[in-house]
């Protein structure tokens, strides 16, 4: 359970690192795990926001189905980018 939660917290940093830095997969996971541990406050805040968005999407799924790809995914990308920008 601990490893799964640590990987979920590191998931916030994987895609921004993947798109900005040319590294191997091993180094991307290592950097994202270290960032999630070092910047735990921002990581937990981003994970809480991710959770709220996912719960809201699941609860209102029939109503927000057309907006899932437009708003939900872009909002999650924005939160991931802003949580990474606040650590620099």
């Amino acid at each position: 359970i601990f490893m799964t939660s640590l990987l979920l917290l590191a998931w916030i940093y994987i895609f921004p690192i993947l798109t900005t830095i040319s590294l191997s997969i091993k180094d991307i996971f290592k950097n994202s795990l270290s960032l999630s541990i070092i910047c735990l406050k921002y990581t937990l805040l981003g994970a809480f926001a991710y959770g709220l968005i996912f719960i809201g999407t699941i609860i209102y799924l029939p109503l927000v189905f057309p907006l899932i790809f437009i708003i939900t995914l872009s909002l999650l990308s924005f939160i991931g980018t802003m949580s990474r920008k606040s650590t620099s």
Side-chain angles (χ1 to χ4, degrees), residues 33-83:
L33 281 172
S34 64
L35 273 174
S36 68
I37 292 171
I38 290 171
C39 305
L40 190 62
K41 180 174 89 171
Y42 296 115
T43 305
L44 290 176
L45 186 63
F48 181 70
Y50 269 41
L52 285 178
I53 292 169
F54 277 134
I55 289 171
T57 303
I58 290 170
I59 289 174
Y60 297 110
L61 188 61
L63 300 174
V64 297
F65 187 73
L67 301 176
I68 286 175
F69 298 111
I70 298 169
I71 294 175
T72 304
L73 298 177
S74 61
L75 189 58
L76 293 177
S77 297
F78 178 73
I79 290 170
T81 304
M82 287 299 117
S83 65

Side-chain angles (χ1 to χ4, degrees), residues 10-23:
W11 196 261
I12 296 172
Y13 297 102
I14 288 176
F15 290 113
I17 289 175
L18 185 67
T19 58
T20 56
I21 302 171
S22 177
L23 295 173

